[in-house]
Amino acid sequence: MAYDFDLFVIGAGPGGIATARRAAQYGVKVAVAEFDRLGGTSVNRGCIPKKLMVYASRFASHVQEAAGYGWTFEPGKFDWATMIEAVNHEVTRLNGIYQSMIDQAEVALYQGHARLADFHTIDVAGQTVTAEKILIAVGGTPSKPNIPGIDLAITSDQIFSLPQQPKRMVILGGGYIGCEFACVLNALGTEVTQIIRRDNILRGFDQDIRTEVQDAMIRHGIRIVQDELVSLEKHDQGLRVNLKNNTMVLTDVVGLAALGRKPRLDHLGLENTRVEVENGAIVVDAHNQTAESNIYAVGDCTNRIKLTPVAINEGCTFADTHYGGERRVMSRDNIPSAVFTTPEVATVGLTETQAMEKYGEAAIKVYRTRFRPIYYTLPQLEEKTLMKLIVHVQTDKILGAHMVGDSAAEIIQGVAIAVKMGATKAGFDATVGIHPSSAEEFLTLR
Ligand code: FAD
């Protein structure tokens, strides 16, 4: 049977676009559907605008630090509307870049919500098209807990278009998105209360890292409260956040629900196919294949690691396998990640707890250092960097590398290459450092 397309991709986020472009490079006929702006969560409501806001937020401390180096500045003034406009301007520029990437790759774009009519047929923008293979890359949306008044809270999606900077803000949740926005808003001058269910933020990260960054966030002025949200209600002084322990917090009109994200599977027509869904996510095998043999899925709509480079990698692996004659499976070991809090967190490999569970306490050796980077000496600030290596005693292999501190993401990205290549502690020891730098401390751990 002849189909309109060899491959139809639903969703033009990082996963979908990477797949479509790579497949088109191999000469197949590809289409992509998108109902929103091109670039997906990452470009429009995630990685990029968030990182730009992180940069904006760090100027306040740079001004303070500069005084230690002899610079004096007139008292500065931050304008939220200017930042939001600049960030969104950049997002629009990136939308255009995505459009030209699609055009150059000769990928057909259908602007509209795509719905599967059956396993080869898609309804989109009032048209019906067929494809031999379909790739679902619909990503996710923030999920809101079912709590009275929760609609009074905004999600991370809306933060990028808030017309005014809130004076006070309650952030619900201790995951990485909540922590990043807590740090951004705090540094910009908002009074931030972060409500977390457990005793530490950033569940899943190494315990030392969690403690270090949480202590630093508290030192920087964020109020972290361990409690649970019961309800939200309007109050004459803004919004009243009622908590389980009979306490409450008054905040501005704005509260941010940062309680996780769920795959965007509503109205996708999955019921017209044999695609299986478990815990709200599309079930795929190591080759991104669903239970419907010609339908595949990548990125945040599957139940795997939800990061932009992972979605891209999954998509490229799919295209290489099906159209590039290179059957491969994406390696999921040692995927590095960062949290753009202040101070920054970055990590690769196993946490100390994971390593102990996997190999036993006696089989691992932990190296740790905590120091004040030279940059903070003249401003006489107590900002600290923490570095940690988890080493397998028998093989000397580095099982995990973790860092809290300036440029952690940039440093760990380099360390991750070494770890991925099977670096040993002896290899780290034998590497000559770059002096003076923080990164060199990874090479002198004893
Ligand atoms: P998405 O980027 O969500 O793209 C899916 C696209 O599909 C969307 O454009 C959507 O409109 C479209 N779509 C959905 N349904 C349909 C349909 N039926 N028809 C047509 N189109 C449809 N990751 C990092 O690696 N680093 C970070 O620093 C980072 N920061 C983040 C910060 C925030 C606030 C958030 C929310 C996420 C962040 N992420 C980060 C995660 C990252 O954004 C996602 O992992 C990544 O965008 C997933 O890509 P994707 O292609 O799977 O889905």
Side-chain angles (χ1 to χ4, degrees), residues 300-315:
D300 282 14
C301 62
T302 64
N303 202 3
R304 300 180 290 188
I305 298 175
K306 293 178 170 55
L307 290 172
T308 292
V310 174
I312 292 173
N313 228 297
E314 288 169 354

Side-chain angles (χ1 to χ4, degrees), residues 21-294:
R21 290 180 68 211
R22 181 67 67 94
Q25 275 168 17
Y26 290 123
V28 297
K29 200 174 170 200
V30 186
V32 60
E34 175 58 62
F35 68 79
D36 200 351
R37 293 183 292 172
L38 298 178
T41 305
S42 178
V43 166
N44 297 298
R45 300 170 295 277
C47 320
I48 303 296
K50 182 240 1 232
K51 186 81 186 275
L52 294 171
M53 283 173 72
V54 169
Y55 285 131
S57 73
R58 288 187 178 159
F59 283 99
S61 60
H62 292 336
V63 168
Q64 186 195 357
E65 289 143 21
Y69 287 88
W71 287 91
T72 43
F73 294 96
E74 296 300 316
K77 188 175 161 291
F78 169 70
D79 184 50
W80 175 269
T82 305
M83 175 192 71
I84 291 290
E85 195 192 326
V87 168
N88 286 310
H89 191 264
E90 175 58 10
V91 168
T92 305
R93 189 184 74 84
L94 294 173
N95 296 147
I97 288 179
Y98 271 81
Q99 179 70 61
S100 36
M101 288 193 304
I102 286 184
D103 293 345
Q104 274 164 22
E106 297 184 12
V107 170
L109 175 63
Y110 286 82
Q111 274 171 324
H113 185 278
R115 187 169 179 279
L116 292 157
D118 66 39
F119 62 108
H120 282 298
T121 313
I122 306 106
D123 291 330
V124 56
Q127 297 176 62
T128 297
V129 289
T130 57
E132 186 189 7
K133 289 192 175 67
I134 296 170
L135 183 111
I136 305 174
V138 292
T141 51
S143 49
K144 285 186 169 185
N146 193 11
I147 282 170
I150 198 67
D151 284 340
L152 294 168
I154 63 161
T155 69
S156 62
D157 285 359
Q158 283 101 49
I159 191 111
F160 304 111
S161 52
L162 269 187
Q164 279 170 355
Q165 178 179 2
K167 278 208 177 73
R168 301 165 297 176
M169 185 147 193
V170 166
I171 293 187
L172 305 169
Y176 84 97
I177 296 173
C179 291
E180 289 176 335
F181 282 117
C183 290
V184 166
L185 282 140
N186 175 61
L188 293 176
T190 296
E191 201 181 287
V192 176
T193 304
Q194 190 175 4
I195 295 164
I196 60 171
R197 286 170 78 163
R198 296 181 176 77
D199 51 355
N200 268 150
I201 55 169
L202 296 179
R203 187 161 65 100
F205 285 78
D206 187 272
Q207 188 55 48
D208 282 341
I209 272 34
R210 298 171 73 187
T211 311
E212 184 71 28
V213 71
Q214 181 162 322
D215 289 352
M217 285 167 64
I218 292 169
R219 217 174 44 246
H220 294 166
I222 298 171
R223 192 173 152 239
I224 297 184
V225 177
Q226 192 192 349
D227 212 326
E228 257 180 72
L229 177 67
V230 172
S231 64
L232 292 178
E233 55 187 309
K234 283 192 177 153
H235 185 272
D236 56 8
Q237 286 168 44
L239 197 65
R240 185 183 152 124
V241 183
N242 298 313
L243 302 171
K244 201 171 180 182
N245 293 336
N246 286 329
T247 48
M248 63 96 179
V249 184
L250 284 179
T251 187
D252 278 334
V253 193
V254 186
L256 176 70
L259 294 177
R261 296 175 62 82
K262 63 170 192 303
R264 193 196 281 267
L265 306 185
D266 293 347
H267 314 297
L268 189 56
L270 290 182
E271 65 284 3
N272 302 325
T273 70
R274 279 177 297 194
V275 172
E276 282 173 12
V277 173
E278 205 176 276
N279 297 326
I282 295 177
V283 180
V284 286
D285 66 10
H287 296 282
N288 306 299
Q289 191 173 30
T290 68
E292 186 74 73
S293 64
N294 71 311

